[in-house]
């Protein structure tokens, strides 16, 4: 059975199910059985098991449903709600911010790039810029360019922003599958301690980072294996005694807004599959051991006796996995030549050296670059948008497209587009991009 036909084999019935939502809508099933195939799992041996059919309660019917509460999903939910759309945000962990907060990837890259006058210019504005300013006002970020934040402050600020925007938040909840009617997503099945439920929506935004929603919906995509790491933090950095006999300079990471705390990045193993749960489980255990042993070695070095392991990130650092095939694939050439798009939804910056036409282009020379709305529009599914590290781009752009700032920009664009589509009663691929750009500008975005 094809995933896109799963809709026809499931019965949804409404009722007063949580959050005060009541729904009497009924979607009739076909008599076919629902089979859960295990053969695609990493350990699959070709065996399958038949899952008995059952009625799934509808938790809510809403305008916009955002799956994934990382930087992209949080920005998308805020933008859609501010545009007047009732919005639900589903997040599997207990916090917003994804790898920015829970992954301890603390720098907001990349806030700046080079303009056409060859001067460094700030490019991250809008909802992402608002987040950055709030953290600065709390003295919970350091540096004007690519600010490094405190993760707990980040979680607090993002919570407050969705609360103020009126977003309806579902923590501790996973997106589990899509409910399809032809080329339209009617909703998403979610799993939690409360059981399996469904949320129906007019527009769905995939901000899972791994493209889970467009994968289930049957979209085509590229798969990219990349290095996966695990970040940790060290405490008592301000108590290192550099005058102690035998002191040797050790790798202790980079400063954070808390003077006694550093964050330590990890490159990790190359060419790893970010959607293989057995592989992720292996890496999690190996990395935790590696970090523990590394910190013990630091503590045994003269002058570092009071340094301790504060925490390891609760989220493994998956940098890339699935990349959707959308209406337009952003190219490296686009980002190096100030290419302008009629449907631009935002601008991102540069944080590292990139190879272009055989030459290394340093971040101090790299242009800012526009992101077109079409790169968020999957080719098949009519009411689906994609934001975050799995929107459509050439793999050569992976270092720019996966970073926090770009995720905030694509999330803001997708959320505003979803809100506009609901307001105009249009499919997301048919909205007036002139109106979208006007809305984004009103919400503080800079479009170049």
């Amino acid at each position: 059975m094809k995933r896109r036909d799963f809709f026809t084999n499931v019965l949804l019935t409404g009722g007063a199910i949580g959050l005060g939502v009541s729904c009497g809508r009924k979607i009739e099933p076909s008599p076919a059985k629902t089979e859960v195939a295990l053969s695609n799992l990493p350990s699959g041996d070709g065996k399958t098991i038949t899952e008995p059919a059952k009625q799934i309660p509808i938790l809510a019917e809403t305008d916009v449903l955002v799956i994934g509460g990382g930087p992209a999903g949080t920005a998308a939910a805020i933008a859609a709600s501010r545009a007047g759309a009732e919005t639900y945000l589903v997040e599997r962990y207990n916090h917003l911010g994804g790898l920015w907060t829970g992954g301890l990837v603390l720098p907001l890259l990349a806030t700046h790039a080079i303009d056409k006058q060859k001067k460094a210019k700030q490019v991250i504005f809008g909802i992402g810029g608002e987040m950055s300013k709030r953290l600065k006002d709390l003295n919970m970020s350091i540096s004007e360019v690519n600010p490094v934040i405190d993760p707990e402050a980040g979680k607090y600020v993002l919570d407050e922003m969705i609360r103020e925007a009126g977003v309806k938040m579902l923590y501790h909840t996973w997106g589990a599958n899509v409910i399809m009617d032809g080329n339209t997503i009617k909703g998403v099945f979610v799993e939690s301690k409360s059981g399996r439920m469904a949320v129906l929506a007019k527009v769905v935004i995939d901000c899972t980072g791994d493209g889970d929603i467009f994968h289930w919906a049957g979209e085509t995509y590229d798969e990219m294996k990349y290095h996966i790491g695990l970040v940790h933090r060290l405490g008592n950095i301000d108590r290192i005694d550099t005058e102690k006999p035998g002191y040797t300079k050790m790798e202790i990471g980079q400063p954070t807004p808390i003077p006694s705390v550093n964050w330590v990045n990890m490159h990790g193993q190359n060419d790893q599959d970010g959607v293989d749960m057995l592989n992720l489980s292996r890496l999690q255990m190996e990395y935790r051991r590696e970090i523990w042993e590394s910190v013990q070695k630091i503590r045994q070095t003269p002058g570092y006796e009071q340094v301790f392991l504060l925490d390891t990130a609760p989220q493994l650092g998956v940098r890339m996995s699935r990349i959707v095939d959308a209406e337009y694939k952003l190219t490296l050439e686009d980002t190096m030549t100030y290419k302008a798009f009629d449907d631009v939804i935002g601008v991102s910056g540069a944080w590292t050296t990139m190879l272009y036409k055989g030459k290394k282009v340093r971040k101090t020379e790299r242009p800012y670059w526009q992101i077109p709305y079409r790169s968020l529009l999957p080719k098949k599914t009519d009411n689906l948008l994609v934001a975050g590290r799995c929107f459509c781009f050439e793999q050569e752009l992976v270092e720019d497209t996966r970073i926090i700032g770009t995720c905030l920009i694509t999330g803001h664009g997708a959320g505003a587009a979803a809100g506009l589509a609901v307001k105009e009663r249009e499919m997301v691929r048919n909205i007036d991009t002139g109106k979208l750009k006007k809305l984004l500008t009103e919400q503080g975005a800079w479009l170049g």
Side-chain angles (χ1 to χ4, degrees), residues 71 78 108 161 176 189 197 206 208 212 219 285 304 307 327 335 354 356 375 439:
I78 292 168
L108 200 178
M161 289 180 68
F189 290 112
M197 298 183 183
D206 187 343
T208 60
D212 295 339
E219 293 290 341
M285 294 183 69
Y304 294 87
V307 171
E327 293 292 338
T335 69
M354 295 280 278
Y356 175 59
S375 293
L439 174 58

Side-chain angles (χ1 to χ4, degrees), residues 80-186:
S81 193
R82 287 181 178 178
E86 181 185 55
T87 304
Y88 275 75
L89 176 57
V90 172
E91 168 54 41
R92 62 175 171 165
Y93 293 114
N94 69 348
H95 60 270
L96 295 173
L99 290 176
W100 190 20
T101 56
L104 301 180
V105 184
L106 304 180
L108 200 178
L109 304 173
T111 58
H112 289 66
I114 303 303
D115 65 16
K116 294 179 181 179
Q117 285 70 47
K118 306 301 180 184
K119 296 181 179 179
K121 178 179 178 60
Q122 181 178 338
V123 296
I124 302 293
F125 292 93
I127 291 173
E130 184 179 335
M131 292 173 182
S132 182
K133 183 179 185 305
R134 289 195 182 200
L135 288 161
K136 180 181 178 182
D137 291 345
L138 291 172
N139 294 318
M140 285 292 113
S141 71
I142 53 176
S143 178
E144 291 293 326
V145 178
N146 301 335
V148 175
I149 73 163
D150 175 77
E152 293 305 317
K155 296 172 188 176
Y156 164 75
V157 166
L158 270 55
D159 256 2
E160 290 303 295
M161 289 180 68
I162 66 160
R163 193 194 317 272
E164 293 163 7
V167 175
K168 297 179 178 179
M169 187 71 227
L170 296 176
Y171 279 125
H172 308 287
T173 306
W174 285 69
N177 211 330
V178 294
I179 306 163
M180 299 298 299
D181 183 6
N183 291 329
T184 301
I185 295 182
K186 290 298 184 181

Side-chain angles (χ1 to χ4, degrees), residues 216-289:
W216 292 324
E219 293 290 341
T220 56
Y221 53 84
D222 294 329
E223 293 184 80
M224 185 176 183
K225 293 184 178 180
Y226 210 53
H227 46 281
I228 293 175
L230 180 65
V231 181
H232 67 280
R233 290 191 296 173
L234 298 175
N236 280 350
I237 296 301
D238 55 344
R239 297 187 184 184
I240 295 173
D241 183 1
T242 59
E243 302 300 321
K244 191 164 185 176
Y247 168 83
T248 301
K249 189 173 182 180
M250 301 290 286
E251 175 54 53
I252 56 171
Q254 302 299 321
T256 75
I258 310 301
S260 61
V261 175
N262 274 14
W263 75 286
V264 186
N265 200 8
M266 176 194 283
H267 181 279
Q269 298 178 21
N270 289 330
D271 302 321
Q272 297 301 304
D273 188 341
V275 294
D276 179 337
M277 53 94 168
L278 295 180
N279 185 52
L280 297 178
S281 299
R282 175 186 65 83
L283 292 175
Q284 185 73 63
M285 294 183 69
E286 289 184 11
Y287 289 167
R288 185 173 286 117
R289 171 186 280 179

Side-chain angles (χ1 to χ4, degrees), residues 46-61:
K47 295 181 180 179
T48 64
I49 187 169
T50 299
E51 182 179 19
K54 60 181 179 179
Q55 294 183 332
I56 306 297
I58 296 175
L59 176 65
E61 291 187 78

